[in-house]
Amino acid sequence: MSEPRTYRKDTSAAPRGYSSWEAAGLLWLAEAEEDGGASIAELRDVDTTHIDLVQYAPAPATNLAADEFGAALAATHAAGAPAFGAPPARWSSHGFIGPGESPMPMPVEPTQTWGAFFAEQRIRHLLRAGRAKGLWEEEGELFEQVAARLESGEFDDGRPPARIHGDLWAGNVLWTSSGAVLIDPAAHGGHPETDLAMLLLFTAPHIARIIAAYDEAAPLADGWQERVGLHQLFPVMVHAVIFGGGYVRQSVEMARKYA
């Protein structure tokens, strides 16, 4: 049987450490595969200038593949993490999120509660990054109010930290003949609703079936639909800082719902 082909992701334009961060996330998420977790792109090699992965042949997303992916993602989350905000194993610095050529540094510091983690290391961190670029000059208090509600524990539900992909938009799910394969993680200990909200933000194929299968495998907490926008505020703020444009207005509108 011939060796599978290799896909080389060029990371030469990324900040130092980016490729190692991504590799650590891939390996950490892949640990859950033995227990039914989602399939993770197989790492072949990593260097400061590239990441080599097995190259997968694309195939249409099917209902069955979506069902299997939803259940598998629940198993990945169930593999857990040492704390909210905890980085992947083999990693001890800050993380990154965003396009490979210009990713944003993101904190990954273990925190006692999800709300405190999301408030400080996601909402406030991005608010500071955005204001340094002249964004949200008049709306800063709005985002601070969201962070204060998070920090108060209002959105904490007592669930333990999940092992999440962290950047699970539709483009980071490869559909192959053997099902979904995940790439480009920003993995950390987080809330499982964050990954699901990302899949909903840019509407992954068969999203309703993915969510239903996930919910059957690991029942979602009451009111999760009302919190989708709260989790989506993070990636929309990332897009606002990196790309500007309509994402700035969208982030303000989303923040207003949770302020």
Side-chain angles (χ1 to χ4, degrees), residues 17-138:
Y18 173 80
S19 53
S20 296
W21 151 256
E22 185 171 312
L26 290 167
L27 293 170
W28 189 56
L29 293 171
E31 289 175 1
E33 290 186 48
E34 283 187 12
D35 296 317
S39 295
I40 309 300
E42 184 181 336
L43 182 67
R44 287 297 187 82
D45 186 45
V46 60
D47 203 330
T48 55
T49 61
H50 68 264
I51 300 171
D52 286 350
L53 305 169
V54 167
Q55 185 167 321
Y56 298 87
T62 64
N63 287 339
L64 177 60
D67 293 344
E68 291 175 343
F69 173 46
L73 182 61
T76 298
H77 289 166
F84 294 105
R90 312 172 189 86
W91 192 254
S92 58
S93 183
H94 64 76
F96 297 93
I97 195 166
E101 65 276 6
S102 58
M104 290 184 60
M106 294 297 296
V108 276
E109 299 171 6
T111 308
Q112 187 171 3
T113 66
W114 176 76
F117 156 70
F118 208 69
E120 182 59 35
Q121 298 183 48
R122 294 301 180 258
I123 304 303
R124 288 189 180 122
H125 174 76
L126 287 166
L127 177 60
R128 289 190 289 269
R131 297 189 82 168
K133 298 178 70 171
L135 306 180
W136 303 310
E137 292 182 346
E138 298 179 3

Side-chain angles (χ1 to χ4, degrees), residues 6-17:
T6 296
Y7 167 76
R8 172 158 291 186
K9 178 178 177 179
D10 182 1
T11 60
S12 58
R16 186 172 181 83

Side-chain angles (χ1 to χ4, degrees), residues 167-247:
D167 192 13
L168 198 56
W169 70 286
N172 284 342
V173 182
L174 301 181
W175 296 96
T176 76
S177 59
S178 58
V181 177
L182 305 187
I183 61 171
D184 296 353
H188 62 278
H191 199 296
E193 291 176 7
T194 298
D195 274 351
L196 298 177
M198 284 286 284
L199 287 168
L200 285 159
L201 182 60
F202 297 109
T203 318
H206 304 290
I207 184 61
R209 295 190 72 105
I210 294 171
I211 298 290
Y214 185 103
D215 190 36
E216 183 176 352
L220 292 161
D222 291 344
W224 71 269
Q225 296 97 328
E226 285 71 46
R227 294 185 294 275
V228 167
L230 179 64
H231 290 270
Q232 289 177 342
L233 182 56
F234 160 57
V236 172
M237 289 179 76
V238 170
H239 277 66
V241 174
I242 294 175
F243 303 114
Y247 292 114

